[in-house]
Amino acid sequence: MKTRRFCPKCGRPLLKSQIKGYAFQCFSCDEDFCKFEVLRKKDMEFIRTIRKTTILHERQQDMNKYDNPEIEQLRKMWEEFGDIPIDNDECIESDFYHWPKGTDRYEIWHWFDERCPNNLHDDLMFPEE
């Protein structure tokens, strides 16, 4: 059952805990909390700050997941990148893996180039077949 209490670690809404001695549980953090440890609606400004920090951390974790992808994964991602709309400022118009909407397309290209065994041009853009 949802409550009007929020996790002090990630800012997400808490559920009532099933564990004796604890009042609330955060499924995202896998933590249980006593009543005095949690945040309330009156702490909403602080909760938003925590959520923003948590989201940035999660994006960084996602980014780390793709630090050393195999060439096949790079090819798959590159093909998917071809379907992402680009605005007049050369920025992506929707989130793509760990890049948020508004990221410059050349930043993404450089990421691919750094991870290709040879280079972006030879491995993904114009591979020999």
Side-chain angles (χ1 to χ4, degrees):
M1 171 188 242
K2 271 191 174 178
T3 65
R4 292 184 182 179
R5 304 294 192 271
F6 300 87
C7 177
K9 291 186 174 189
C10 71
R12 290 186 173 94
L14 296 172
L15 300 173
K16 289 192 178 200
S17 180
Q18 302 297 315
I19 298 176
K20 187 176 181 179
Y22 293 97
F24 304 101
Q25 184 175 37
C26 178
F27 283 129
S28 180
C29 294
D30 194 28
E31 295 276 343
D32 290 281
F33 299 99
C34 296
K35 286 182 181 181
F36 68 89
E37 296 178 290
V38 301
L39 301 171
R40 297 169 179 237
K41 277 202 169 222
K42 67 178 181 153
D43 304 313
M44 195 53 76
E45 188 174 324
F46 183 61
I47 292 167
R48 284 189 186 106
T49 303
I50 292 172
R51 286 293 299 136
K52 192 179 226 180
T53 304
T54 301
I55 289 168
L56 291 174
H57 176 72
E58 288 170 354
R59 280 194 180 145
Q60 184 62 45
Q61 294 299 94
D62 279 349
M63 188 177 235
N64 293 342
K65 208 178 356 181
Y66 298 104
D67 268 351
N68 296 306
E70 301 284 334
I71 188 67
E72 291 307 315
Q73 177 67 23
L74 286 171
R75 284 188 181 117
K76 177 182 172 285
M77 291 172 71
W78 182 254
E79 188 175 315
E80 291 171 9
F81 183 55
D83 296 330
I84 301 296
I86 307 290
D87 66 18
N88 292 336
D89 295 323
E90 301 292 325
C91 296
I92 59 175
E93 293 183 335
S94 62
D95 292 346
F96 176 67
Y97 284 88
H98 59 273
W99 293 282
K101 174 183 174 181
T103 303
D104 189 284
R105 80 180 323 161
Y106 298 109
E107 179 182 329
I108 299 170
W109 282 18
H110 287 293
W111 182 91
F112 277 102
D113 192 44
E114 291 168 1
R115 284 155 183 81
C116 287
N118 299 308
N119 57 57
L120 175 63
H121 179 274
D122 295 341
D123 292 335
L124 300 178
M125 295 176 85
F126 303 101
E128 290 182 19
E129 297 183 1

